Amino acid sequence: MSDAAKAKPMWRRLIGPVLLLAILFFLLLYLKSIDWHKIAQLSVNWYWLVLASVLAMAGRYWAVNVWRVILSCLGVEKLPPYGAMAQVFAKAWMARYIPGTVAWVAGRIYLASQYGISVSRLTVSSLLEGGMQIVAGIVLSLILIALGGNVSDISMPVKVFAVVVALLSMLALLPPIFNRILHVAHLAVKRRKASDELRVNGKAVSRSFLLFCIGTLIAGTANYFVAKSIMPHLGGDHYLYMVGVFGLAGAIGIATPFLPSGIGVRDGIQLVLLALIMPKETALAVTVLSRLWSVVVDVLFFLVAVGFHHRQRQVDKAA
């Protein structure tokens, strides 16, 4: 063990192993909830599934880029190399399978802070990122569903909930309101005035909204290809609607933080809205396959990001 590792308090050395065990435990529970009998009955076109996976991987690396842009807009002048940030993001990303958002956010803050990034700015960037995923996802998805011509088929409670969540999130993310909320929260917890690092600006808000809209399109298109893998005849006339459905389900899943990776809420919305344009049995098959596929892509993203970073460190040491 190195001198640096020995110098770490015991609790800090235990964080990584404990987090990994928690991820594995809840990931197994997540996999157990999948209808494996339904999966075994599916006939899959692997061309579309591979294409979906490539696009989904690109989407996860796009999310790393969004994180870097937000941090830059918040005043972080020197960011770690892209590969280092990708492996931090990938490790924390797997923590989404632990119920609640604390592990995902806290894990990323802890890992990224080891590269010298301010904890305050990491905290603010995470809050802005989570809120903007909800806002951009809901706003763009409702527009796509409307352009797809099926918005009138969505039940009123779902539409009202989505609009209310989007409006409240959008208001909360406006710099004057967001900064005031953080100031009050910091004053209540720390008993002192918040530093300037605990602030967002219009540049970070506007750029993150645009980038997350693009991210919603990437993720929705990947899920559309998953649907095509078991429905090769699925036409382009349903593309906008389905991208909107997947985006809306994902955004509302994020807004429901006490379930691992939005499970239940996300799947339920997908099932109900997809059943409006296809047989319910087919909608169920798409939902089940999409859930399993997303787990596989998450694990692949983790292995690639961590493996590439490890390889790069070996090359740097040899140089």
Side-chain angles (χ1 to χ4, degrees), residues 136-146 216 240 243-249:
I138 290 179
V139 171
L140 180 62
S141 296
L142 289 177
I143 292 174
L144 293 175
I145 291 172
T216 298
L240 292 179
V243 170
V245 166
F246 290 120
L248 183 64

Side-chain angles (χ1 to χ4, degrees), residues 34-248:
I34 293 175
D35 188 343
W36 292 98
H37 179 69
K38 175 66 69 175
I39 293 289
Q41 293 178 327
L42 296 178
S43 176
V44 178
N45 183 316
W46 289 99
Y47 167 80
W48 290 112
L49 201 60
V50 169
L51 183 60
S53 301
V54 171
L55 192 58
M57 284 288 287
R60 281 155 178 75
Y61 276 100
W62 178 260
V64 177
N65 181 62
V66 176
W67 182 32
R68 289 173 63 87
V69 169
I70 291 175
L71 286 171
S72 295
C73 291
L74 293 178
V76 179
E77 297 179 355
K78 188 176 181 180
L79 291 170
Y82 188 92
M85 292 192 71
Q87 63 92 22
V88 167
F89 191 96
K91 288 179 179 178
W93 184 257
M94 294 302 297
R96 296 180 313 123
Y97 292 99
I98 300 175
T101 57
V102 175
W104 147 242
V105 174
R108 191 169 65 171
I109 291 174
Y110 171 74
L111 292 171
S113 65
Q114 298 179 29
Y115 287 91
I117 305 177
S118 164
V119 171
S120 296
R121 287 202 167 110
L122 286 169
T123 302
V124 172
S125 70
S126 296
L127 293 174
L128 176 60
E129 185 178 340
M132 194 56 73
Q133 284 187 65
I134 296 172
V135 172
I138 290 179
V139 171
L140 180 62
S141 296
L142 289 177
I143 292 174
L144 293 175
I145 291 172
L147 292 175
N150 298 86
V151 72
S152 60
D153 294 329
I154 300 177
S155 65
M156 186 56 68
V158 173
K159 285 193 286 189
V160 171
F161 179 76
V163 171
V164 169
V165 169
L167 288 176
L168 290 178
S169 300
M170 190 176 296
L171 286 173
L173 292 176
L174 293 175
I177 298 176
F178 185 93
N179 293 333
R180 183 60 183 172
I181 293 173
L182 280 183
H183 173 76
V184 172
H186 191 274
L187 198 60
V189 175
K190 297 291 186 179
R191 304 295 181 182
R192 64 175 183 269
K193 184 178 179 181
S195 67
D196 289 339
E197 290 185 347
L198 284 173
R199 299 175 65 85
V200 299
N201 51 55
K203 183 180 179 181
V205 171
S206 59
R207 289 193 178 184
S208 60
F209 176 79
L210 175 61
L211 294 174
F212 274 123
C213 282
I214 296 174
T216 298
L217 284 174
I218 295 173
T221 302
N223 277 278
Y224 172 76
F225 289 152
V226 171
K228 278 190 73 70
S229 72
I230 57 176
M231 297 176 63
H233 60 281
L234 187 64
D237 53 325
H238 292 310
Y239 170 74
L240 292 179
Y241 176 77
M242 292 185 69
V243 170
V245 166
F246 290 120
L248 183 64

Side-chain angles (χ1 to χ4, degrees), residues 26-36 291-292 295:
F26 286 104
L27 182 57
L28 288 174
L29 290 182
Y30 188 89
L31 290 172
K32 186 179 178 181
S33 68
I34 293 175
D35 188 343
W36 292 98
R291 189 199 300 181
L292 175 60
V295 174

